[in-house]
Amino acid sequence: MLECVPEGKTEHTTGKINPAKTCQPIGAMYASLGIHGCLPHSHGSQGCCAYHRMHLTRHFRDQVLAASSSFTEGASVFGGASNLKTSIKNIFKIYNPDIIAVHTTCLSETIGDDIPNIIKQSEIPEGKIVIHTNTPSYVGSHITGFSNMCKSMVAYLAEAQGETKKEQVNVIPGFVNPGDMREIRRIVTALGVKLVMFPDTSGVLDAPLTSKYQMYPEGGTTIAEIRDSGNSEVTLALGAFASNAAADLLQEKCGVTGIPLKLPIGLKATDDFIMAVKDWFGADIPKEIAIERGQVIDTLIDTHFHYQGKTVAIFGDPDHVIAMTEFVITMGMVPKYVLTGTPGKEFEATVTKMLDEAGITGSRVKAEGDLFELHEWIREEKVDLMIGTTYGKYIARTEDIPLVRFGFPILDRAVHPLMPVVGYRGCLRLIEQISNAFLERRDRDALDEDFELVL
Ligand code: SF4
């Protein structure tokens, strides 16, 4: 497999081969699902919408509902205004959501449909809401789409009641799994601080199976909560690429102080997240959180000889990759190749700074890269481990390198959307996966006389 990847360096300056990203609307659709009672709406062809729903369904292993403007040849030539107005009318009548979140596709962006104007001209029942964001897929990635929809939630919904702020924190959690969002909520709640987290797909994409069908599950951030985010004292934006834009707009629009942080993946990033809440609100660190941190330190000591000094290739979404790079450095590993498909110069600057501070030289770091390039690097000099999405499995198999699945999408493993990788519990899970990947490899490769019961 992948034998056609040539040995040595090949320049490819146009297009991507095996992209390390997907298109903007997928992120916007995912963010919309984190609003309670929301039906995401794709303004474009049915094909785009079907692909986006399928991709999310395959990762989350749960149903993903979304409507489409169902463009045909006529809309492609004359614009999609009439389709969108009809869609909005039909959706409220048939599916009765509280809110419709419209995102665009390549086709409607190329036509240049004026979505805010079309929404103004649409029939919207009393008390119902339609918001929108622009998500042309020839710009950015699914992370840009997620960021754009979060920004639109603030633009359309957040309100400040006055100068006085409430003692509550907003958390914009980034493009993470519902299990991660649930864990972030648990940590902030354990610190005794009231929180508004948006979007929040816990209870939507990890909802329990009941005997009753619910079109809009109980989870998700309510419209009232997102409105109230304008009255909070502070916003913690977790992950610069997915969350900073919404936090910046909240600061500008409602005067809520924004604090940019990494995704709380790994020991230091989790410490920073918890200390930000502690420092701002004067919260006490509860015993249960202190115990969890102590367990991480203990486990790192117990397992360090499995991974100490090993080289690793990390690829995927920029916020995930940045946080994971920091964590593997903490673990004593060497991030040899660090790559994201999402554009953005700050990715390379942030990762390079981390490597420099750790005294690691000879690594390659790239934003807007692809997996073909990553494979070429690995062909030049192999690594001990790969950490990234399912798309890396072809390289892993060809080059016989263990792959720890991490990030979005993971299409060939189960249960992961419910299991957090954030916080100290997430640290333990990552250490377990990384350590065991090396132990599995050692067992597989061991000669009979070296095959040990205890490792
Ligand atoms: S046409 Fe654009 S929006 Fe639709 S699936 Fe392709 S890249 Fe995504």
Side-chain angles (χ1 to χ4, degrees):
M1 197 174 284
L2 291 190
E3 285 80 7
C4 56
V5 174
E7 298 285 345
K9 186 91 192 109
T10 314
E11 285 293 333
H12 67 289
T13 49
T14 51
K16 296 283 175 225
I17 308 172
N18 295 340
K21 61 165 189 166
T22 186
C23 64
Q24 275 216 54
I26 288 183
M29 192 182 276
Y30 180 55
S32 308
L33 291 163
I35 308 175
H36 177 72
C38 179
L39 193 69
H41 181 87
S42 169
H43 185 53
S45 73
Q46 280 178 320
C48 292
C49 186
Y51 163 58
H52 303 150
R53 288 176 54 209
M54 177 205 70
H55 210 57
L56 292 170
T57 297
R58 283 178 169 175
H59 173 87
F60 294 105
R61 297 186 183 233
D62 228 337
Q63 61 183 2
V64 169
L65 300 178
S68 164
S69 294
S70 299
F71 277 25
T72 53
E73 292 84 347
S76 306
V77 175
F78 300 113
S82 145
N83 289 43
L84 184 52
K85 285 184 213 166
T86 308
S87 292
I88 289 172
K89 191 175 157 194
N90 287 344
I91 290 167
F92 280 125
K93 199 167 157 199
I94 300 167
Y95 302 113
N96 194 28
D98 296 333
I99 179 169
I100 298 172
V102 179
H103 57 263
T104 54
T105 61
C106 297
L107 183 52
S108 55
E109 282 292 331
T110 305
I111 296 167
D113 279 340
D114 181 353
I115 310 294
N117 236 338
I118 301 171
I119 292 173
K120 269 188 209 138
Q121 294 163 11
S122 299
E123 278 179 46
I124 302 173
E126 185 77 25
K128 303 287 182 177
I129 298 168
V130 180
I131 66 173
H132 98 285
T133 194
N134 293 90
T135 47
S137 258
Y138 32 81
V139 180
S141 73
H142 57 293
I143 296 301
T144 321
F146 182 92
S147 166
N148 286 344
M149 185 53 86
C150 292
K151 202 173 157 192
S152 288
M153 289 177 201
V154 173
Y156 273 95
L157 301 173
E159 289 170 2
Q161 301 296 313
E163 294 292 300
T164 316
K165 296 295 181 196
K166 290 184 184 173
E167 201 175 317
Q168 66 184 19
V169 61
N170 300 326
V171 176
I172 306 175
F175 195 130
V176 292
N177 283 327
D180 295 313
M181 295 183 185
R182 207 175 272 280
E183 180 66 1
I184 289 168
R185 185 178 289 283
R186 182 189 73 88
I187 291 170
V188 177
T189 306
L191 287 159
V193 176
K194 187 166 180 282
L195 106 148
V196 173
M197 182 163 70
F198 67 94
D200 181 1
T201 57
S202 64
V204 178
L205 288 170
D206 65 354
L209 186 66
T210 62
S211 53
K212 208 168 140 233
Y213 175 70
Q214 267 181 296
M215 177 129 185
Y216 304 104
E218 283 172 20
T221 319
T222 62
I223 294 163
E225 285 175 308
I226 303 176
R227 285 219 164 96
D228 197 35
S229 67
N231 298 313
S232 300
E233 284 183 13
V234 63
T235 304
L236 303 183
L238 307 185
F241 285 80
S243 305
N244 274 7
D248 289 349
L249 184 61
L250 205 44
Q251 180 151 358
E252 191 186 312
K253 185 180 174 189
C254 302
V256 181
T257 304
I259 300 179
L261 293 168
K262 291 191 192 77
L263 279 181
I265 293 172
L267 190 64
K268 183 173 181 307
T270 302
D271 287 351
D272 291 347
F273 170 60
I274 289 173
M275 291 310 283
V277 179
K278 178 187 170 2
D279 290 346
W280 188 276
F281 294 98
D284 291 328
I285 305 288
K287 196 174 172 193
E288 68 179 275
I289 300 288
I291 289 172
E292 287 167 17
R293 189 177 191 280
Q295 287 174 324
V296 173
I297 305 290
D298 186 50
T299 308
L300 284 170
I301 293 166
D302 291 346
T303 58
H304 74 277
F305 53 89
H306 302 155
Y307 43 73
Q308 177 78 34
K310 301 283 189 191
T311 56
V312 56
I314 308 169
F315 59 97
D317 295 339
D319 295 330
H320 275 88
V321 170
I322 287 170
M324 179 56 93
T325 302
E326 185 175 73
F327 189 39
V328 300
I329 291 172
T330 307
M331 294 171 75
M333 296 173 74
V334 180
K336 183 87 185 147
Y337 308 128
V338 186
L339 180 140
T340 185
T342 297
K345 287 202 179 341
E346 56 276 46
F347 174 82
E348 291 177 14
T350 306
V351 175
T352 304
K353 187 163 175 273
M354 278 181 198
L355 295 169
D356 287 347
E357 284 172 2
I360 295 169
T361 53
S363 297
R364 288 178 174 174
V365 183
K366 182 154 187 186
E368 219 172 341
D370 60 31
L371 296 184
F372 179 87
E373 197 161 13
L374 180 66
H375 195 175
E376 283 186 325
W377 294 348
I378 289 172
R379 280 261 169 103
E380 273 180 51
E381 195 178 343
K382 215 165 163 177
V383 286
D384 300 309
L385 181 72
M386 294 172 64
I387 300 178
T389 70
T390 289
Y391 285 103
K393 75 190 273 182
Y394 298 98
I395 303 173
R397 179 174 157 122
T398 308
E399 304 302 331
D400 193 21
I401 300 169
L403 168 67
V404 169
R405 284 159 178 79
F406 170 73
F408 175 87
I410 296 174
L411 309 172
D412 60 344
R413 290 293 183 271
V415 195
H416 54 88
L418 285 82
M419 309 301 284
V421 294
V422 301
Y424 300 127
R425 286 183 177 174
C427 285
L428 289 176
R429 181 156 181 260
L430 291 172
I431 298 167
E432 180 202 9
Q433 288 181 318
I434 291 169
S435 283
N436 290 347
F438 284 116
L439 295 181
E440 287 281 349
R441 175 50 51 101
R442 205 169 138 188
D443 269 346
R444 194 202 72 174
D445 294 343
L447 300 171
D448 279 354
E449 56 270 34
D450 299 327
F451 192 56
E452 298 283 357
L453 182 68
V454 180
L455 290 174

